[in-house]
Amino acid sequence: MRIKTIVAIDGPAGAGKSTIAKLLAKRIGADYIDTGAMYRAVALQLIRTGTDYNDPGALQAMLDAMDVDFSEGHTLLNGEDVSGLIRTPEISAVASPSSGVPAIRYKLTALQQAMGKRKSIVMDGRDIGTVVFPDADFKFYLTASADERARRRTEEMRAKGEEADLETIRADIIQRDYQDSHREFRPLRKADDAVEIDSTNMSIDSVVDTMMAFIEARDR
Ligand code: DC
C-alpha cells in the first residue's frame, strides 16, 4: 500500500457504495468517508433551523455556523451524533434537491478535501472522482440496475424491522437518479478515468475483490 491513498467511489443511490467502501477501507487500512451523510446532515440542519436554501443570505449564515465531521463511523453535526436521524425518506427528499445548491457543495467539498489531507481515505459520493479528488489514486463508478437497487434497499429496511414497499422505494430511487444526474451544478457523472463496476449480478465480496485487484495490480 502506498503511504497515503485516496480511493473515490461514485455512483447512483442504492448501488451499495457505502457497504463496499466501508469494507474496502478496512482492507486497505484507510478511513471511510460517507459524503452522502454530509449532504444529509445539511438537510437535517436546514429542517431544524427552518432555513430556505433558496435564500442565499440565510443559507450562508447557516453554513458558516455548521460543521460536519466523522468519528468512528458516526456522523457529527456541530459535535452531535446525528447518524440515527439522517437515513429517513424525509431527509432524502430534502438532501437530493438541496445538494444541487452551489453554496452547499462548496462548503462540503472544502471539508472533504481537508479530510483527504489528513490520511488515507475511501470516500463515496456522486462527485468524488470528478470534483472533490480529480487526482484520486483510484476511481470507481459503482452501478446496479434500478430494480436490483430497489430490491436491496427494501431487504435492508425489512431486516431492520422497518416497513418497506418495493414499488415506493423503486420510484424514489428512479426520481433521485434523475435529480442527482440532471442537476445543473456538478451532477452525478462517471469520471472519464473511473473503472465502472456493474454490481447487479455480483456479491458484495466479489465487488470488493474486484476493486482490491485493481489496487494491488497498480501497487505491485
Ligand atoms: O448517498 P446518499 O443517498 O446518502 O446521498 C444523499 C443525497 O446527497 C443524494 O440525493 C445525492 C447527494 N449527494 C451529492 O450530491 N454528492 C455527494 N458527494 C454525495 C451525496
Side-chain angles (χ1 to χ4, degrees), residues 2 11 14 40 63 65 68 71 81-83 95 111 116 125 133 139 147 152 155 177 180 182 194 200 207:
R2 299 157 192 227
R40 288 171 181 275
L63 291 173
V68 188
S71 173
D81 182 0
V82 294
S83 316
L111 289 175
F133 291 113
K139 297 182 188 178
D147 282 350
R152 289 179 193 166
E155 235 175 48
D177 280 357
D180 294 346
H182 286 79
T200 306
V207 174

Side-chain angles (χ1 to χ4, degrees), residues 35-36 39-40 87 95-96 99 105 125-128 176 180 183:
T35 64
Y39 285 92
R40 288 171 181 275
R87 303 267 156 225
S96 190
S99 65
R105 299 204 74 82
R126 304 293 191 288
D127 62 340
I128 312 306
R176 282 217 285 148
D180 294 346
R183 66 176 173 233

Side-chain angles (χ1 to χ4, degrees), residues 47-218:
I47 295 169
R48 278 182 169 177
T49 57
T51 304
D52 174 2
Y53 56 76
N54 291 313
D55 174 344
L59 176 62
Q60 199 55 52
M62 187 201 91
L63 291 173
D64 288 346
M66 85 172 268
D67 180 51
V68 188
D69 206 350
F70 293 94
S71 173
E72 292 166 14
H74 295 271
T75 309
L76 306 180
L77 169 61
N78 289 341
E80 174 194 350
D81 182 0
V82 294
S83 316
L85 304 175
I86 56 176
R87 303 267 156 225
T88 66
E90 292 74 23
I91 295 287
S92 302
V94 176
S96 190
S98 61
S99 65
V101 177
I104 293 176
R105 299 204 74 82
Y106 289 134
K107 163 94 185 185
L108 296 190
T109 298
L111 289 175
Q112 290 152 10
Q113 288 170 336
M115 290 172 186
K117 290 215 170 82
R118 302 205 289 251
K119 60 170 295 195
S120 291
I121 53 166
V122 176
M123 186 174 274
D124 78 353
R126 304 293 191 288
D127 62 340
I128 312 306
T130 50
V131 175
V132 181
F133 291 113
D135 298 324
D137 301 286
F138 300 96
K139 297 182 188 178
F140 297 102
Y141 190 80
L142 190 63
T143 61
S145 70
D147 282 350
E148 176 62 13
R149 287 184 283 136
R151 195 193 61 74
R152 289 179 193 166
R153 186 60 45 107
T154 308
E155 235 175 48
E156 197 179 283
M157 289 176 70
R158 288 184 184 158
K160 280 195 264 173
E162 293 167 16
E163 255 179 61
D165 173 58
L166 179 66
E167 266 320 300
T168 310
I169 290 173
R170 191 171 167 277
D172 175 59
I173 279 181
I174 289 171
Q175 194 202 346
R176 282 217 285 148
D177 280 357
Y178 187 85
Q179 270 178 357
D180 294 346
S181 56
H182 286 79
R183 66 176 173 233
E184 218 168 283
F185 190 66
R186 300 181 179 177
L188 166 66
R189 186 174 71 72
K190 176 187 163 307
D192 294 335
D193 53 350
V195 174
E196 181 161 352
I197 301 175
D198 181 344
S199 74
T200 306
N201 296 307
M202 289 173 82
S203 68
I204 290 168
D205 283 345
S206 62
V207 174
V208 177
D209 288 345
T210 304
M211 291 180 175
M212 276 308 290
F214 274 99
I215 293 173
E216 284 168 352
R218 195 141 22 112

